[in-house]
Amino acid sequence: MNAQDIDTLIASHPILSEHADFVRSLVRPNVRITISQDAATGVQSKFGGPAMVPADFEWPEHDVGLYYFLGQINFAEIENRPDSLPATGLLALFNADYDPKSESDEEVFWGDEGYLKAWYFEDVDTLRPMAAPHGRDVQGKRLTLVGELDIPRHQDMLKGCPFDSEILEDLLDVEGECPGPSATVDMLATDYLLGYPSYYSLGYNPTPGPEWVSLLTVDSYEQFNWCWQDGAKLMVFIEQEKLLARDFSNLMCDAG
């Protein structure tokens, strides 16, 4: 959503209109991720496909097996980019997964430390494609990235709310509908950077602590072999100071 969408949302309800300043204080920047059916090439933003990494890159491993290439974000491609994200460079993301060929009985859990790892490469011109050593690459799909705005829906993220927090949840519960006469705006992004974490079944705010912010939220997709918590969403968090320092070495995850 954009500023006009938020104004429409506030104007659509008398109680939100009465507390317009509070609602606007909730606004956070986010970047909507749209998955194209076009194949991605080179350093384009994508989910799946071969990883674009330096020639001397060593594919990450964990106790149960190898990591899987989740995708990459080319920050230069973000339209209306929030200031907290780099203007250039590429972020390569890898998630741990169970290896069916492994003889280990250990399981991989998204709450484990190091479940998702990221590498930030400032010089994209030196990157080269690297196929996954386990041979389980999926076809890469190009992403479009557009900066917009986000507000929370869930009670756990609306502490101190001066009105019944279910009002916001009810108004934003249906994706693709905007309250008010226009009813044409897709209010909720399914996949996005920054913003607020989105969850289905969790009964708590999954943010690890006040110093942490949401970095990435992605849905489950069969085409990428993603199934987070029985088909829910994966939420990735980063410490705000490290994000501003362009340090992606310590990420935390939750799913639900």
Side-chain angles (χ1 to χ4, degrees), residues 240-253:
Q240 187 166 4
E241 288 188 359
K242 290 192 175 182
L243 174 61
L244 296 176
R246 310 320 187 203
D247 178 0
F248 297 90
S249 62
N250 184 39
L251 304 176
M252 297 290 290
C253 298

Side-chain angles (χ1 to χ4, degrees), residues 114 129 239:
E239 293 162 279

